[in-house]
Amino acid sequence: MVPHGRVHPAAAASSSDFSGEMNQSAASSDPSSSPPYSFHFEKPLPPTAAAPPPADARRYQQLLPAPQPGTYVVQMPKDKVFRVPPPENARLFQHYTRRARRRARCSCARVCSWLLLALVLLAAALAASAAVVYLVFKPRQPDYTLLSLAVSGLGGILGNASSTAAPAPVAFSPEFDATVRADNPNGKIGVHYEGGGSHVAVSYGGVRLADGAWPAFYQGPRNVTVLVATAKGLGIRFSERLLGDIAAAGRLRSVPFDVDVKVPVRLQVGGVRTWAVPVRVRCAVVVDRLAADAKVVSKSCRVKARFLFWKD
């Protein structure tokens, strides 16, 4: 401890060390012998005990902020100030970064596991609900039968094909009235047929002849409904080969047609109405003549629906 409250760690120090400056002569003569750091802990001297500094030093000190009472000044050489973090800090940074990444991966895996578990539980609940509905209601697929197919607008094909001269290109406007029997065998399930989005098409040999719509109605449980679906065509022109095939089939009293039906259907289960699913019906029918009173010679219908729990 030295007078005026100044403390210096070196055993022998010059008068400049007590003023807070480095011993420049010793550092320049032997850099290895100089201490790596020079710490000066000092308190401000009373104004009366301080020697008057030189003019330049006085101006420099006037520019510096006045130290507060009870503070200390620590000085060290500029070449001893490291601007790059030490290696141990870099290792700590890498350690904390890897730990944060591991925590993020663990959190993501935990969230994915919970989501997968929720999806599995939801699928199990849906499967259990479907099993209960199947056991309680025992749903069955409705049955459709084509009873008759009235044909009009094609009567001139026979006369046009039987003429010896080359047949003139004639446009036909055929019309078909398909009488269908719809049978709902379910005792607790009703069926809603929606007209919007439905489609009825009649074709011959892959050539579309007429288009129409399925009528909208509700069919209650254990109900049989007979309906008529109408399809019309406009400006249909046949090739000579197709015209000859239809005329020959008419003379043989066996004219085949294909009837395709697509209609949206909703099921009524108690007070709950399901979403709309398309039901497709394809019938291959053979009539004896091209007339409104044509009789069905043979028929076969196939139904395709998306309700997986329906029985055929």
Side-chain angles (χ1 to χ4, degrees), residues 34 56 67 76 82 84 97 128 131 133 141 150 167 185 218 267 284 295:
S34 61
D56 295 339
M76 65 177 60
F82 300 98
V84 179
T97 303
V133 170
Q141 181 174 282
Y218 171 72
L267 299 184
K295 294 182 179 181

Side-chain angles (χ1 to χ4, degrees), residues 52-303:
D56 295 339
R58 186 182 297 112
R59 286 195 299 271
Y60 177 74
Q61 289 181 358
Q62 289 177 357
L63 297 176
L64 294 177
Q68 300 294 331
T71 60
Y72 296 89
V73 178
V74 180
Q75 296 181 352
M76 65 177 60
K78 288 185 177 180
D79 58 347
K80 301 301 182 182
V81 178
F82 300 98
R83 299 185 181 275
V84 179
E88 56 269 17
N89 289 0
R91 288 194 295 269
L92 287 175
F93 175 76
Q94 294 177 359
H95 171 70
Y96 291 137
T97 303
R98 287 194 297 268
R99 186 169 64 178
R101 291 176 180 173
R102 286 196 298 269
R103 289 180 177 178
R105 286 195 295 267
C106 292
S107 301
C108 182
R110 190 178 298 110
V111 171
C112 293
S113 300
W114 281 109
L115 288 178
L116 180 61
L117 179 60
L119 291 177
V120 171
L121 292 177
L122 180 61
L126 292 177
S129 301
V132 170
V133 170
Y134 180 82
L135 294 175
V136 172
F137 295 97
K138 297 180 180 179
R140 296 179 59 188
Q141 181 174 282
D143 183 46
Y144 304 94
T145 305
L146 183 64
L147 300 179
S148 64
L149 182 66
V151 184
S152 60
L154 295 178
I157 291 181
L158 295 177
N160 195 8
S162 60
S163 60
T164 56
V170 178
F172 296 91
S173 297
E175 181 175 347
F176 300 88
D177 293 328
T179 304
V180 181
R181 181 180 185 269
D183 184 7
N184 181 16
N186 297 283
K188 299 179 180 179
I189 300 177
V191 182
H192 291 271
Y193 295 93
E194 299 184 353
S198 64
H199 183 250
V200 178
V202 180
S203 58
Y204 176 88
V207 178
R208 183 75 59 84
L209 301 180
D211 297 281
W214 184 272
F217 67 97
Y218 171 72
Q219 188 177 23
R222 298 191 183 280
N223 177 266
V224 176
T225 302
V226 178
L227 58 103
V228 178
T230 302
K232 297 181 180 180
L234 181 63
I236 305 298
R237 297 181 182 273
F238 298 99
S239 62
E240 295 183 8
R241 182 187 63 81
L242 189 60
L243 194 64
D245 291 344
I246 297 176
R251 287 191 293 268
L252 295 175
R253 304 179 67 85
S254 178
V255 184
F257 291 102
D258 293 324
V259 180
D260 295 291
V261 179
K262 177 184 176 183
V263 54
V265 170
R266 296 178 184 267
L267 299 184
Q268 185 75 33
V269 183
V272 179
R273 183 183 298 187
T274 65
W275 59 93
V277 295
V279 173
R280 302 175 185 271
V281 181
R282 182 177 182 85
C283 295
V285 57
V286 178
V287 295
D288 60 348
R289 57 183 178 273
L290 301 175
D293 56 349
K295 294 182 179 181
V296 176
V297 177
S298 64
K299 59 187 176 182
S300 64
C301 294
R302 184 180 57 185
V303 181

